[in-house]
Amino acid sequence: ELINNGIITAGEREGIRNGGTITILTNTDEISADGDQAINNRAAGTIETITNSGTITAGGKEGLRNKGTIGTITNSGTISAVGRYGLFNYSNGTITELNNSGTIASTGDDYGLYNAGTITTLTNTTSGTISADDDYGLKNTGTITTLTNTGTIFASGNSGNKIGIYNSSTITTLNNLQGASGSALTYDG
């Protein structure tokens, strides 16, 4: 079990690098890297539960990178990167459940959430935002079994595609309420 109520930071990359097993990772304050990957869960890595109410952020790419196995991510804080992807689930990465009531974002480029692997259940609640300053709020080239969005998924900025969801693979079920009282969800793929 790893509980952070203070600051874990790396001057270059990987505030936390895991190639083993972490049962519970809780962050209430800050996990950061000046470069890439505030949290890097490697191919052999397993994290059963991540609960974030603080900030997980990278000055480079990928606030959270997963090449291994993550059971549940519950985010009510911020998971972000200045470059590339706020959260990147690689082609060999598996996330059973991702619940977002906070912010998952790329503040400078590309995609807020990039899934190339498998996410069984992705829920973006009413207060949740998945966003990018370029291209796509959410890009999926892997498999998402169930995606439920009652919050906001979008991309903004002065260049790029500015699409909420880009899907070139499989989203089995998409439940969306965005647009009921504000800007509609944009979808391509």
Side-chain angles (χ1 to χ4, degrees):
E1 184 174 2
L2 193 164
I3 300 173
N4 178 51
N5 297 316
I7 296 173
I8 298 173
T9 188
E12 294 186 3
R13 57 188 297 176
E14 299 176 331
I16 293 175
R17 174 176 173 167
N18 179 52
T21 298
I22 299 173
T23 54
I24 298 171
L25 195 166
T26 302
N27 177 53
T28 63
D29 199 332
E30 178 184 323
I31 300 171
S32 66
D34 290 345
D36 300 339
Q37 298 117 31
I39 297 176
N40 184 10
N41 190 46
R42 295 173 60 80
T46 297
I47 304 175
E48 294 179 10
T49 303
I50 297 175
T51 302
N52 178 54
S53 58
T55 300
I56 298 170
T57 187
K61 61 185 180 182
E62 302 162 0
L64 193 163
R65 172 201 270 185
N66 179 47
K67 285 188 171 183
T69 301
I70 298 175
T72 301
I73 300 172
T74 302
N75 178 53
S76 59
T78 298
I79 300 172
S80 68
V82 173
R84 304 302 295 273
Y85 324 124
L87 192 160
F88 187 13
N89 190 41
Y90 265 73
S91 57
N92 54 337
T94 299
I95 299 171
T96 303
E97 189 172 352
L98 172 52
N99 300 304
N100 180 53
S101 59
T103 299
I104 299 173
S106 171
T107 60
D109 203 0
D110 288 341
Y111 326 133
L113 170 56
Y114 182 14
N115 177 55
T118 299
I119 300 175
T120 305
T121 304
L122 169 55
T123 303
N124 189 48
T125 68
T126 305
S127 60
T129 298
I130 300 173
S131 67
D133 279 351
D134 195 3
D135 284 336
Y136 313 118
L138 165 61
K139 181 176 181 179
N140 179 56
T141 60
T143 298
I144 300 172
T145 305
T146 303
L147 193 168
T148 301
N149 176 45
T150 57
T152 306
I153 302 174
F154 73 99
S156 60
N158 297 319
S159 62
N161 295 289
K162 292 186 277 190
I163 299 293
I165 296 175
Y166 177 77
N167 176 42
S168 63
S169 189
T170 301
I171 298 175
T172 306
T173 302
L174 171 59
N175 303 306
N176 177 59
L177 287 177
Q178 182 176 332
S181 61
S183 298
L185 174 68
T186 53
Y187 180 97
D188 192 12

